[in-house]
Amino acid sequence: FPLCQNMGTKSLCLLLASVLVASYVYTPIPENIEERWKLMLINAGFRTVSHVVSLEFYLLQVRSHHVLQNLYSFLYSLSYENVTVTDTKFNNVPARLYMPRKQSSGLKRAVIYIHGGGWLTYFISAMEPYDLLSRWTANKLNAVVVSVEYRLAPMYHFPVQFEDVYTVVKFFLQNSVLVQYGVDPNRICISGDSAGGNLAAAVAQQLLDDLEVKVKLKIQALLYPALQTLDLDLPSYKDNENKPILPKSLMVRFWSEYFTTDVSLQEAMASNKHVPAESSHLFRFVNWSNLLPEKFKKDHVYASPIYGSSMLGKKYPGFLDPRAAPLLVEDTKLLGLPVTYVLTCQHDVLRDDGIMYVSRLREVGIEVIHDHIEDAIHGVLMFITSPTDLALGHRVANKYIEWLNINL
Ligand SMILES: *[C@@H]1O[C@H](CO)[C@@H](O)[C@H](O)[C@H]1NC(C)=O
Ligand SMILES: *[C@@H]1O[C@H](CO)[C@@H](O)[C@H](O)[C@H]1NC(C)=O
């Protein structure tokens, strides 16, 4: 800037620039969270990535994820000391297989891991922490880990993501396949975080009705899962609307783009007026007034739903489908689910989805272990790799893996 050339205006420009940068980076961070400045920087980085990538997608139509994916494979497929990693396909769906190298007599345990990322390609470059988590799990449990590389929005919409995961899980649960990998059919877990927790919960439910699948899951681990699309004004959405990593606006975008790139659904979801009156009977499955403990209701007042046009529900029936929103099933469909571990974070728009599922599962007698982390934000398990690692991420990852080790 020619304007910024003499000394006086130079310092003014510098001041202005710092204010701009600071206001971009600054996000209010909840009181009880440690490493606040680091989290603030990470959050600014995330926002930048999502802006840049969405610009590419929507303005230039660049398929940037191919480039990122290749780079990612190159950098991270290097084998971890004790685990052999191979990319394979189960019934034509790509999956990454982590096999412990340690020789052991007897059969191994297995964890089928479904990664998060909003069902979208934006954060594909954030796959490194998922890869590391799978390696840690394989190493610590001496277990086979299968990570499903399902197809993503905005190129693919529901039910493609669900079906890809279902295909891999169903393929893996065949006795002949388990024998091939030396897996104990009585010690298999399905696990996933965020959008992956959504897919894990949905697949675990749908497997119950599949007569072709004889092997039963021993446990499911749902890590800050997204479980319902009906009410996007739950207390957790209100309390955490602008919290780091996953503001409400981004979650609304994830949900709507899971079904369509048509922005009319996104707009309707943003104002929580997307559910048609014909589907009013579904609201009892997500009635937070009954399903949340007092502690989480705080001073929020339950209001009856406001219905939207029936057009959206007809055009995009996916958002009313339990394969996308596992909280929308009848109680009888919950019977027979395996022992369930649910991890929820206090400062997370998805907090109440997880808590309501805990209530519903317990009401029908499913054994649930609920870990609620008071000082955590959404996505903590992604913050385990330098330079974006947080002590919190390591603490929560260790807790989860330790739980698996004891219970699987
Ligand atoms: C590999 O396994 C050995 C023996 O269990 C252990 O001491 C070592 O820490 C493991 N390596 C890694 C990178 O975890
Ligand atoms: C939700 O629960 C409250 C309190 O039990 C009840 O008054 C309300 O009618 C319920 N609403 C729906 C849609 O189920």
Side-chain angles (χ1 to χ4, degrees):
F1 272 155
L3 213 81
C4 294
Q5 256 149 27
N6 76 50
M7 272 314 267
T9 45
K10 232 182 206 168
S11 34
L12 187 68
C13 288
L14 198 69
L15 185 74
L16 268 177
S18 337
V19 168
L20 270 178
V21 170
S23 65
Y24 182 76
V25 169
Y26 183 78
T27 329
I29 302 283
E31 285 289 312
N32 62 345
I33 290 211
E34 52 195 5
E35 298 178 279
R36 305 159 67 85
W37 276 101
K38 195 167 184 186
L39 179 57
M40 230 181 257
L41 288 171
I42 292 173
N43 189 52
F46 256 66
R47 273 185 8 230
T48 309
V49 169
S50 73
H51 292 157
V52 169
V53 182
S54 57
L55 262 182
E56 274 186 75
F57 268 112
Y58 293 108
L59 298 178
L60 309 172
Q61 293 289 307
V62 174
R63 304 288 184 224
S64 63
H65 67 289
H66 285 316
V67 181
L68 288 173
Q69 232 161 17
N70 289 340
L71 185 71
Y72 157 73
S73 308
F74 171 76
L75 286 176
Y76 305 114
S77 65
L78 309 163
S79 268
Y80 198 66
E81 206 183 322
N82 296 333
V83 182
T84 305
V85 183
T86 32
D87 286 320
T88 179
K89 279 187 175 175
F90 284 163
N91 223 347
N92 285 323
V93 179
R96 181 167 283 198
L97 203 64
Y98 302 79
M99 297 285 291
R101 284 201 198 135
K102 203 180 347 177
Q103 289 300 318
S104 57
S105 56
L107 297 171
K108 287 187 166 60
R109 299 176 282 179
V111 176
I112 305 170
Y113 195 80
I114 323 297
H115 70 75
W119 309 278
L120 262 173
T121 47
Y122 298 134
F123 295 118
I124 202 77
S125 54
M127 287 292 277
E128 184 200 350
Y130 292 126
D131 194 56
L132 188 62
L133 194 65
S134 292
R135 288 167 199 257
W136 282 352
T137 309
N139 193 46
K140 170 85 187 177
L141 274 68
N142 191 30
V144 175
V145 176
V146 180
S147 171
V148 187
E149 313 249 340
Y150 53 97
R151 286 170 290 172
L152 296 163
M155 293 233 275
Y156 301 96
H157 297 289
F158 175 85
V160 168
Q161 287 82 342
F162 169 84
E163 282 171 353
D164 278 358
V165 176
Y166 196 84
T167 300
V168 166
V169 174
K170 189 167 174 173
F171 183 91
F172 188 71
L173 292 182
Q174 296 174 98
N175 270 312
S176 55
V177 176
L178 297 176
V179 166
Q180 187 189 334
Y181 294 110
V183 170
D184 183 341
N186 298 312
R187 299 177 81 187
I188 301 171
C189 167
I190 190 165
S191 174
D193 67 290
S194 193
N198 165 279
L199 291 161
V203 166
Q205 284 181 358
Q206 300 303 318
L207 281 174
L208 298 175
D209 292 335
D210 193 328
L211 298 175
E212 287 167 19
V213 182
K214 301 281 189 287
V215 174
K216 296 256 175 291
L217 297 167
K218 182 173 185 194
I219 55 184
Q220 61 174 340
L222 311 176
L223 313 168
Y224 36 86
L227 296 170
Q228 62 89 32
T229 44
L230 283 205
D231 190 348
L232 304 181
D233 260 338
L234 297 171
S236 57
Y237 272 95
K238 289 195 164 135
D239 292 345
N240 303 307
E241 185 169 359
N242 295 309
K243 293 273 170 75
I245 308 304
L246 188 63
K248 176 180 171 178
S249 55
L250 185 59
M251 190 60 224
V252 163
R253 185 166 142 202
F254 283 161
W255 267 130
S256 61
E257 291 196 29
Y258 188 18
F259 308 106
T260 174
T261 32
D262 171 358
V263 290
S264 62
L265 182 61
Q266 189 173 332
E267 282 160 5
M269 281 181 162
S271 54
N272 208 32
K273 286 180 200 140
H274 51 295
V275 181
E278 299 91 281
S279 302
S280 61
H281 62 286
L282 295 175
F283 274 97
R284 69 196 155 95
F285 297 135
V286 296
N287 189 340
W288 62 263
S289 162
N290 299 329
L291 296 168
L292 283 188
E294 290 305 322
K295 175 185 165 202
F296 299 102
K297 289 193 211 171
K298 290 202 302 189
D299 44 8
H300 294 284
V301 179
Y302 185 84
S304 299
I306 303 169
Y307 300 108
S309 84
S310 53
M311 187 269 292
L312 282 176
K314 287 206 181 78
K315 253 170 125 177
Y316 312 112
F319 74 84
L320 301 165
D321 188 322
R323 293 173 303 161
L327 263 165
L328 302 186
V329 295
E330 296 281 344
D331 283 354
T332 50
K333 285 277 290 181
L334 300 171
L335 298 169
L337 280 173
V339 172
T340 303
Y341 175 83
V342 179
L343 180 83
T344 52
C345 305
Q346 176 64 15
H347 306 289
D348 180 359
V349 289
L350 297 180
R351 178 192 71 201
D352 296 347
D353 282 21
I355 298 173
M356 292 197 296
Y357 205 41
V358 170
S359 301
R360 293 217 34 217
L361 291 172
R362 283 186 176 154
E363 269 168 27
V364 299
I366 304 297
E367 186 184 339
V368 182
I369 295 84
H370 180 201
D371 241 343
H372 180 70
I373 319 275
E374 288 290 346
D375 60 348
I377 45 153
H378 186 79
V380 274
L381 290 170
M382 289 200 298
F383 307 114
I384 53 173
T385 53
S386 173
T388 53
D389 55 336
L390 296 171
L392 175 67
H394 285 271
R395 176 154 52 88
V396 174
N398 287 338
K399 207 169 191 229
Y400 152 69
I401 292 176
E402 195 48 48
W403 186 85
L404 277 186
N405 196 24
I406 294 168
N407 291 279
L408 182 56

